[in-house]
Amino acid sequence: MSAHPWENSYPEPARWDAPIEFSQVTKILDVAVAKFADRPAIYFMGMRATYGQLHALVARAAAGFQKLGVKPGVHVGLYLPNTPHYPIAFFGILAAGGTIVNYSPLDAIDVLAHKVHDSETQILVTLDVPQLAPQTAAMAKIAPLRTIVLANSTTDLGAFPLFANVGDPGAAEPDATRIDFADLLANDGSYVKHPFGDPAEEIAVVQYTGGTTGLPKGALLTHANLTAATNQYYETTKVTPPLLLEGTERTILVLPLFHIYALTSVMLLSIKYGSELSLHPRFDAAAIVNDLIKNKTSIFYGVPTMYTALVNYPGIGEMDFSALKYCASGGAPLPVEIIHKFRELTGISISEGWGMTETSPSGTFSPVRGARKDGSCGIPVPRCDIRIISIADPSKTMPIGERGEIAIKGPNVMKGYWKNADATAESFTPDGYFRTGDVAFMDEDGFIFIVDRIKDMLLCGGFNVYPRNIEEAIYTHPSVSEVCVIAVKDEYRGETPKAFVVLKVGAKEFTLDELKEFLKDKLGKHEMVAQLEFRETLPKTAVGKLQKTVLIAEEAAKASASTTGIGA
């Protein structure tokens, strides 16, 4: 058996051993501008910016950030939805020499504050919308932010793509505590290009991830990691005859840009292709279908919940999807029935892949043409070596067809965790393979099938949700004695949190809505409990540890009985 059984599963002319270029991330945009300056780059709310216009705005952003003190070693936070401000600020920060820290609008204020403190973020770029403003104000009071760059959702976007011209050139002062985004851009675009070293050592993004316990950890993603991942994805789309053509495609970007899936797999790859990016701040099935059909969109990336919504959209079977060429899914396993239904309705086979924040997030892909296997997340991307190792003995590689933990090594794998040498050491094998915590098996053709997760992490609509965070929030309720949170199946989100609660003596039961009201300032929306059950006691091990496996088995039995009943 070959050490790389997946090589023969590659569709020509793509190759697993293809050369993968590493560079400064900004080079991806620079090359696209050289090729496609007059091509549309960004579409938002009926307005378009060309690659040339985007590049000019990025240069102004770089100059503005440098006036605020951004240089190598300075961390700048992006707390933004999918608006044109994100790509402008993203490339502007990197061009100025800074490092990006992504912040999720779904996070609770305590988590946001932790990330600001832990990452040493000095400047935060955000948007003045009701969904972000209260959290930004709270962060400014409790976190050591030096400057807040505030984008205006009305004046900025109303003048897009020329909104750099509406600012006051004298407004951006180095010691400013608050500055408008338009004023940040009010300059001639002249900035200092700092010397750039080894792309494998230069950090581009601190991307926070987490585990089932403890606070989120910052994955250090280098310029080499992000450009390698982009070029790996590019190689996997090569087929004969060509499917995707540079300078002609149109991509919907509705996945949140603060998530690594959207950042690399969609934004950076689309820019490399010279594709037009149609930005959507949130997922709305009607808006997505309209964009797909009316604007003849050729590429769509989503998560399973989005595809579930699309296949159930009224009248979708009668619509013309002839312009659609390529669809991909990640973030969570995609149900096979959704794959089949989507293909039946649109004629497109969804390409499913697997990856993690720590892998930038490339890892596996499903060939666009050729061999595909239901239930598989595909084969390793170019220059990535994947082993299935024994959970009990990580030095042992499992035989073909046997389950173990996915371990991955390649140019896309992170440098380590920010200020966390212990977690970094624990996450890698002695020979440099990253231990993912996902249980899977590999077949004789190199296709990987994920069957379980080692840790208790939930995947809710493509977002990682950590039970301990929810449990600790519920424990602050004055009536709660004990709580245990597990994942239960959800037809739309994949998984959703269910809380089992034991009340204190004499305390009265509360409703699920009352619990949600209590938790609304303690948890992100994606973490919110969806089901609640009261118990007299919770199962425990002999040493008194809460035994989640019993509750999980009980819920599985209930679900099985319910399914049996439906089919009877």
Side-chain angles (χ1 to χ4, degrees):
M1 178 65 67
S2 168
H4 302 144
W6 53 81
E7 287 194 64
N8 291 332
S9 298
Y10 263 64
E12 293 185 357
R15 292 163 37 213
W16 178 80
D17 61 353
I20 298 298
E21 180 188 5
F22 315 145
S23 69
Q24 195 168 3
V25 172
T26 51
K27 183 179 177 181
I28 295 174
L29 179 60
D30 293 341
V31 171
V33 171
K35 293 180 178 179
F36 316 114
D38 296 327
R39 275 272 304 157
I42 304 291
Y43 177 86
F44 184 77
M45 296 176 61
M47 296 170 286
R48 282 187 167 88
T50 66
Y51 273 94
Q53 289 172 320
L54 174 61
H55 200 241
L57 289 169
V58 166
R60 293 184 176 194
F65 281 121
Q66 287 188 344
K67 286 186 179 182
L68 294 176
V70 175
K71 59 186 178 181
V74 174
H75 290 188
V76 183
L78 294 183
Y79 187 45
L80 292 166
N82 288 9
T83 68
H85 304 94
Y86 189 99
I88 293 167
F90 176 87
F91 284 104
I93 293 163
L94 295 180
T99 297
I100 291 158
V101 183
N102 277 314
Y103 289 84
S104 167
L106 298 174
D107 281 339
I109 185 62
D110 288 349
V111 175
L112 292 169
H114 160 72
K115 290 179 180 179
V116 173
H117 281 278
D118 184 69
S119 67
E120 302 174 13
T121 294
Q122 298 182 33
I123 299 169
L124 186 74
V125 184
T126 189
L127 189 64
D128 66 339
V129 292
Q131 297 89 336
L132 302 180
Q135 291 90 332
T136 301
M139 272 193 286
K141 293 179 181 178
I142 63 177
L145 291 169
R146 174 162 57 81
T147 305
I148 292 176
V149 179
L150 189 65
N152 189 294
S153 59
T154 303
T155 58
D156 287 357
L157 299 180
F160 178 75
L162 303 176
F163 61 83
N165 297 327
V166 303
D168 174 7
E173 296 297 330
D175 295 325
T177 57
R178 173 170 164 165
I179 179 174
D180 289 337
F181 194 86
D183 292 331
L184 177 84
L185 303 186
N187 57 70
D188 64 4
S190 299
Y191 65 94
V192 176
K193 295 184 178 181
H194 293 283
F196 186 78
D198 182 354
E201 296 297 327
E202 300 283 351
I203 307 302
V205 176
V206 179
Q207 186 77 22
Y208 276 84
T209 183
T212 55
T213 61
L215 291 166
K217 302 185 293 291
L220 299 175
L221 304 182
T222 66
H223 285 260
N225 290 152
L226 295 179
T227 55
T230 302
N231 290 318
Q232 286 168 331
Y233 285 130
Y234 184 84
E235 180 71 16
T236 66
T237 61
K238 292 181 179 179
V239 289
T240 303
L243 178 68
L244 304 180
L245 303 175
E246 288 190 359
T248 66
E249 307 301 342
R250 187 174 193 278
T251 304
I252 286 178
L253 205 176
V254 65
L255 295 163
L257 278 163
F258 61 79
H259 195 286
I260 192 64
Y261 177 15
L263 174 60
T264 308
S265 311
V266 190
M267 186 179 79
L268 293 181
L269 179 60
S270 295
I271 290 173
K272 183 175 177 66
Y273 258 110
S275 177
E276 178 181 18
L277 280 166
S278 177
L279 300 181
H280 289 250
R282 65 184 182 88
F283 178 77
D284 176 83
I288 297 301
V289 169
N290 181 66
D291 201 356
L292 286 168
I293 303 302
K294 182 180 177 181
N295 296 312
K296 298 189 181 302
T297 297
S298 55
I299 302 172
F300 178 73
Y301 295 84
V303 293
T305 53
M306 294 179 182
Y307 286 106
T308 300
L310 290 175
V311 299
N312 291 305
Y313 188 79
I316 192 169
E318 287 74 51
M319 297 178 184
D320 179 12
F321 287 94
S322 58
L324 190 60
K325 297 180 179 181
Y326 180 80
C327 291
S329 180
L334 184 63
V336 173
E337 59 268 27
I338 298 298
I339 297 174
H340 291 168
K341 187 69 173 177
F342 190 83
R343 183 167 57 231
E344 176 187 328
L345 292 169
T346 67
I348 299 294
S349 294
I350 301 169
S351 293
E352 189 173 7
W354 165 91
M356 303 178 71
T357 298
E358 291 91 339
T359 66
S360 307
S362 60
T364 70
F365 75 103
S366 296
V368 178
R369 295 189 184 130
R372 282 174 177 255
K373 301 193 180 187
D374 286 347
S376 171
C377 61
I379 57 180
V381 298
R383 298 290 178 173
C384 254
D385 189 18
I386 290 182
R387 295 177 182 174
I388 307 299
I389 61 175
S390 168
I391 296 170
D393 180 7
S395 65
K396 177 184 176 183
T397 299
M398 303 302 291
I400 290 293
E402 292 195 22
R403 298 180 180 186
E405 181 182 3
I406 296 177
I408 182 171
K409 187 177 186 179
N412 52 307
V413 177
M414 68 170 186
K415 184 176 175 63
Y417 292 114
W418 169 253
K419 297 193 302 188
N420 200 332
D422 289 344
T424 300
E426 292 170 2
S427 298
F428 286 87
T429 63
D431 55 349
Y433 283 76
F434 177 71
R435 298 186 60 180
T436 67
D438 284 327
V439 179
F441 67 89
M442 183 185 293
D443 73 7
E444 64 279 2
D445 298 315
F447 281 80
I448 294 170
F449 297 77
I450 295 177
V451 294
D452 204 347
R453 289 188 300 281
I454 295 172
K455 298 181 180 179
D456 293 329
M457 180 184 74
L458 283 67
L459 280 174
C460 300
F463 290 101
N464 295 344
V465 174
Y466 309 105
R468 183 176 174 181
N469 292 344
I470 303 173
E471 291 163 353
E472 289 181 349
I474 295 175
Y475 267 122
T476 65
H477 193 289
S479 298
V480 172
S481 173
E482 289 183 331
V483 60
C484 201
V485 173
I486 66 168
V488 294
K489 296 296 182 184
D490 183 293
E491 289 185 0
Y492 182 66
R493 301 178 72 202
E495 292 178 339
T496 199
K498 178 174 181 176
F500 294 85
V501 170
V502 175
L503 294 171
K504 293 178 179 177
V505 176
K508 294 182 179 180
E509 292 187 358
F510 42 82
T511 67
L512 177 60
D513 286 341
E514 289 171 338
L515 179 60
K516 288 181 177 180
E517 179 65 21
F518 176 80
L519 296 173
K520 69 178 184 181
D521 62 346
K522 300 174 179 64
L523 296 174
K525 292 179 181 178
H526 60 307
E527 299 173 301
M528 190 55 68
V529 173
Q531 296 184 33
L532 172 65
E533 182 175 331
F534 291 96
R535 295 281 185 98
E536 291 294 323
T537 61
L538 292 175
K540 297 180 177 67
T541 65
V543 296
K545 184 178 179 181
L546 292 174
Q547 201 167 14
K548 292 188 177 185
T549 53
V550 175
L551 298 173
I552 293 169
E554 290 176 3
E555 288 297 312
K558 285 164 58 177
S560 177
S562 174
T563 303
T564 302
I566 292 171

